[in-house]
Amino acid sequence: MASRLGVRVVSSSSRGTRRFFFIFTLSLSFTYLCYSLIFCGDSIMQKPMSFPEDRACYLLQAGAAKKLLQRSQYCANAEPKAARPGGEDNGDNLLRGASSERQPINRTGTPRPPAPLPQERQHSGNATSRVGSKRLPLALIVGVKKGGTRAVLEFIRVHPDVRALGTEPHFFDRHYEKGMEWYRSLMPKTLDGQITMEKTPSYFVTRETPKRIFSMAKETKLIVVVRNPVTRAISDYTQTLSKKPEIPTFEVLAFKNRTLGLIDASWSAIRIGIYALHLENWLQFFPLSQIHFVSGERLIIDPAGEMGKVQDFLGLKRIVTDKHFYFNKTKGFPCLKKPESSSTPRCLGKSKGRTHVQIDSEVIEQLKEFYRPYNIKFYQMVGHDFRWD
C-alpha cells in the first residue's frame, strides 16, 4: 500500500514539474513573440516610437529573455546610436562602456560592427572592400623625363584595374624623409584586385631611388619610357626654354668645347640620355624581369601595341586597345578617344607635342656619336635594339 502510494506521489510530482516547464516555456515564447511584434513592427509601420528600438533590444538582452532575443533578426541588425548628452537612464548605464558611443553586442560579448546600408550589402561586407583603401603602389613609372611618361600614365589609367596618382609625388627623390605613411596618404583609393601606380620621371636618374623603392617592396614593377637620347635632350631643352627664355643656347649648354667637340655630360639634358649608366644602378636591386621598357617612338606610332605590352607586364587583361586611340595631326601625337561621359577627346596638355627648337645638324651628328657607345651597351643590357642610330 505504501509502495503504491509512493509511486502515485512521485508520478503526480513529475506531472506537475512537466506542466510547470511547459507553462514556463510557453510564457517565454509568448513574451518573445509580443516583444518582436512591438519593437520590430515599428520598422514596418515607419512610425517612430518613444522608446528607441536598439535600446529596447539591449535592455531585453540584459533580462531573462536575453538568449531568445539575440536570435531576433531586428536585434541582430540594430545599429548603435550615440549616447545622449543629457542624463542617462538605467538602460544607458547597463550598456555604457569606455566609449561614449554604444555598440551592438554579439553572443560572445564583443562589439558587433554596424549593419551595412542596403545598397552596400551586395558587396563582400567590410568597408574596405566597398570604398577601397589607400595602398602603396605596386608599379611605378620611374622614367625618363621627356620620354613619354605622361602619355603612358594617361593611357594606362583607362584600364579599370588601375588607379594612378595624377601628379608627380617625387617621394623617393625629394620627400623621402616624410615617411611611407605620408606617401601612402597621397595615393588614390583602390579596391581589391586593382593596381596602385604613380609616375615620377626623375626617379630613374636619382642614385638613391632604387634602394629606397626596394626597401618599400622588392616586388615592385618598374616602367621606363625611353626615347632617342638626342631627340630627348632637344625636347628637354625646348621645355626649359619655354619657362626660362633667358637661358643660353642649346649648343652652348651641350658642349664643354664646341671646337673640340667635347660634350658636357654633366648637363642634365645630356646626362639623362645615358641610359646604360643609370640602368646599372637599378640592376643592383631589381632583376631585369621587373623592369619594362617602353619605346617612346613606338608609343607615337603604335600606342595600342606598346600599351598592350605594358598591360601584359602588369598582369592585366588587354582592355586598352586600338579602339581607344586616334592620331592628332596638329599635335603629332595619339590622343584618347572621348569617353561616353565626355563631349571632347582626351589629349595630353599643350606642353606635349611642342615644336622643338632648331638645332644645327652638325651638333646633332656630334651628339649621335657621343651617345652611340652608350646606346649599344643599353641595347645589350635590355636585350632589345631601339634603333636610335
Side-chain angles (χ1 to χ4, degrees), residues 100-137:
S100 62
E101 293 187 355
R102 302 190 306 280
Q103 294 183 342
I105 308 299
N106 62 20
R107 297 181 185 179
T108 63
T110 56
R112 186 202 310 278
L117 296 174
Q119 64 269 25
E120 296 173 339
R121 290 175 183 164
Q122 60 185 327
H123 299 294
S124 59
N126 58 49
T128 298
S129 64
R130 293 194 300 270
V131 300
S133 61
K134 294 189 175 185
R135 299 177 172 92
L136 292 172

Side-chain angles (χ1 to χ4, degrees), residues 134-200:
K134 294 189 175 185
R135 299 177 172 92
L136 292 172
L138 297 175
L140 298 171
I141 301 175
V142 298
V144 298
K145 181 183 179 184
K146 304 310 294 181
T149 57
R150 172 56 61 178
V152 171
L153 181 73
E154 293 302 322
F155 295 165
I156 197 62
R157 289 173 81 180
V158 174
H159 201 290
D161 290 336
V162 173
R163 294 297 310 280
L165 185 64
T167 57
E168 297 176 4
H170 285 279
F171 173 66
F172 293 104
D173 59 348
R174 299 179 188 174
H175 305 296
Y176 193 65
E177 72 284 351
K178 293 184 178 180
M180 285 293 173
E181 286 308 310
W182 176 85
Y183 183 49
R184 186 200 304 271
S185 71
L186 302 178
M187 297 299 122
K189 290 183 177 180
T190 53
L191 301 173
D192 291 341
Q194 290 183 317
I195 295 177
T196 304
M197 290 184 65
E198 68 109 326
K199 76 104 175 173
T200 303

Side-chain angles (χ1 to χ4, degrees), residues 305-337:
E306 285 300 302
M307 294 310 300
K309 296 174 186 177
V310 171
Q311 291 170 92
D312 293 344
F313 173 68
L314 296 175
L316 299 171
K317 181 180 179 181
R318 285 198 178 194
I319 291 178
V320 183
T321 60
D322 280 317
K323 66 181 181 181
H324 290 91
F325 300 99
Y326 79 96
F327 191 79
N328 187 306
K329 294 181 180 180
T330 302
K331 296 181 72 66
F333 207 85
C335 295
L336 290 168
K337 291 180 180 178

Side-chain angles (χ1 to χ4, degrees), residues 11-25:
S11 177
S12 299
S13 175
S14 177
R15 276 199 304 273
T17 300
R18 287 197 298 269
R19 182 178 300 171
F20 172 78
F21 280 110
F22 173 76
I23 295 172
F24 179 75
T25 303

